[in-house]
Amino acid sequence: MTDGVEIERKFLVEQLPDGLDGYLSREIEQGYLAITDEVEVRLRRYGDQSFLTVKSSGDESRIEEEIEIDEDRFAVLWPLTGDRRIQKRRYAIPIDGGLTIELDVYHARLSGLLTAEVEFGSAADADGFTPPPWFGREVTDDSRYKNKRLATDGLPS
Amino acid sequence: MTDGVEIERKFLVEQLPDGLDGYLSREIEQGYLAITDEVEVRLRRYGDQSFLTVKSSGDESRIEEEIEIDEDRFAVLWPLTGDRRIQKRRYAIPIDGGLTIELDVYHARLSGLLTAEVEFGSAADADGFTPPPWFGREVTDDSRYKNKRLATDGLPS
């Protein structure tokens, strides 16, 4: 984002919506170079694009800068993510109000986990959002469902 | 570096060499986004160039990837370095064998500290290096003189 600040809400999904194959989707592979109390530094690859992302640790509002890197850099840095890694397929589902649901279907040791995120332009928009019926419990403030926690600690019990 | 691996030796400097003003130098400002047991992620600015660097934590041999970023990104990310920051002037002093001494004169709360680093193409070259007379004690393996330690802990006592 241009101003480096995003506001997101995140929900569990108990049941996949109908017609999922009709939406754009892509496989995402991501690993964490560093996770501290203040920031997380992440590598992510989707398709033939690779990124290094720096995020401040926070809840709804936070700094996020995504820097595109080439495949050679990705290959050098990837081993530094150790076993702090996640694989998922992300579906982009457009909804009213110019919003997009990002539905994540996790693989590997996180198999079975489904989450949905929506990003908003303002706190007021975030507060006014009505989740569709197929959304489950909200986990925006449940740190166990942050990708960095999923990558390090696995599925919440 | 193209292969992402570097071999360096680092020394204290008790007395500055003569003719320092005749060498190229530049002010460096750097801050640490994240420091873990495995990696460090650093922002650095010299002149009008800014970089984000990922290094593996190690001694002589390590992974290092330096990614140029634009001034806007630097400005967004810099506050995330907190007080883990260093300011220094770096002089580039060419010596025999195609080598370059990087002499660092620290400022601010590290004022008085002088270090010199030399980077080598092989472990054999590193082992065969004869320090000039103005070099002091070698601190390659003294972790207190790593920039990340200086940034977080200040001058070694």
Side-chain angles (χ1 to χ4, degrees):
Chain A
M1 299 182 59
T2 47
D3 63 358
V5 176
E6 58 175 22
I7 301 171
E8 288 177 349
R9 291 179 68 184
K10 187 176 191 171
F11 300 82
L12 295 182
V13 172
E14 303 297 334
Q15 192 177 346
L16 292 174
D18 291 336
L20 204 54
D21 288 348
Y23 299 110
L24 289 176
S25 71
R26 52 189 172 187
E27 283 292 321
I28 296 178
E29 189 175 31
Q30 67 190 41
Y32 290 84
L33 290 167
I35 298 171
T36 72
D37 290 343
E38 291 154 304
V39 303
E40 55 186 83
V41 184
R42 184 182 74 191
L43 290 182
R44 176 184 276 184
R45 176 160 50 185
Y46 27 81
D48 57 356
Q49 284 187 295
S50 300
F51 300 91
L52 184 150
T53 303
V54 180
K55 284 188 177 191
S56 60
S57 294
D59 295 323
E60 286 197 10
S61 298
R62 53 190 173 187
I63 307 292
E64 175 169 344
E65 284 290 319
E66 186 167 67
I67 302 165
E68 186 158 10
I69 60 176
D70 65 31
E71 182 57 29
D72 288 345
R73 281 194 200 280
F74 185 90
V76 169
L77 292 174
W78 183 249
L80 298 180
T81 62
D83 56 2
R84 300 176 296 281
R85 296 177 183 170
I86 276 180
Q87 286 177 269
K88 60 189 180 186
R89 177 168 284 272
R90 170 165 288 183
Y91 295 84
I93 303 176
I95 53 171
D96 290 346
L99 299 172
T100 300
I101 296 170
E102 292 185 327
L103 170 64
D104 286 341
V105 179
Y106 290 79
H107 310 313
R109 66 181 175 132
L110 296 171
S111 185
L113 180 62
L114 309 171
T115 64
E117 276 184 295
V118 185
E119 187 175 317
F120 303 93
S122 72
D125 288 351
D127 291 342
F129 175 67
T130 302
W134 53 276
F135 275 29
R137 180 164 68 85
E138 179 163 10
V139 293
T140 304
D141 298 325
D142 187 337
S143 64
R144 298 174 304 161
Y145 290 95
K146 289 184 185 297
N147 271 211
K148 65 180 178 184
R149 283 288 299 279
L150 292 169
T152 51
D153 299 344
L155 274 177
S157 54
Chain B
M1 299 179 56
T2 47
D3 63 356
V5 175
E6 59 177 19
I7 302 171
E8 289 178 347
R9 291 180 67 184
K10 188 175 191 173
F11 300 82
L12 295 181
V13 171
E14 303 296 334
Q15 193 177 346
L16 291 174
D18 291 335
L20 205 53
D21 288 346
Y23 298 109
L24 290 175
S25 71
R26 53 187 170 187
E27 282 293 319
I28 296 177
E29 190 175 28
Q30 67 190 42
Y32 290 84
L33 290 168
I35 299 171
T36 72
D37 289 344
E38 290 153 303
V39 304
E40 56 185 84
V41 184
R42 184 182 75 192
L43 290 182
R44 177 184 275 182
R45 176 160 51 189
Y46 29 81
D48 57 358
Q49 284 187 292
S50 299
F51 300 91
L52 183 150
T53 303
V54 180
K55 285 187 176 191
S56 61
S57 294
D59 295 324
E60 286 196 8
S61 298
R62 54 190 171 187
I63 306 292
E64 177 169 342
E65 284 290 321
E66 187 168 65
I67 301 166
E68 186 156 11
I69 58 176
D70 64 31
E71 181 58 29
D72 289 344
R73 281 194 199 281
F74 185 91
V76 169
L77 292 173
W78 183 248
L80 297 180
T81 63
D83 58 0
R84 298 176 298 280
R85 297 177 182 170
I86 276 179
Q87 286 178 269
K88 60 189 179 183
R89 178 167 283 273
R90 170 165 289 183
Y91 296 84
I93 304 175
I95 54 172
D96 290 347
L99 299 173
T100 299
I101 295 169
E102 292 185 327
L103 170 64
D104 286 341
V105 179
Y106 289 79
H107 310 312
R109 67 181 174 134
L110 295 170
S111 185
L113 179 63
L114 308 171
T115 65
E117 274 184 294
V118 185
E119 186 176 319
F120 304 93
S122 72
D125 287 352
D127 292 342
F129 175 65
T130 303
W134 52 276
F135 274 28
R137 179 164 69 84
E138 179 163 10
V139 293
T140 304
D141 298 325
D142 186 338
S143 63
R144 298 174 304 161
Y145 289 95
K146 289 183 186 295
N147 270 210
K148 64 180 178 184
R149 283 287 301 278
L150 292 169
T152 50
D153 300 344
L155 274 177
S157 55

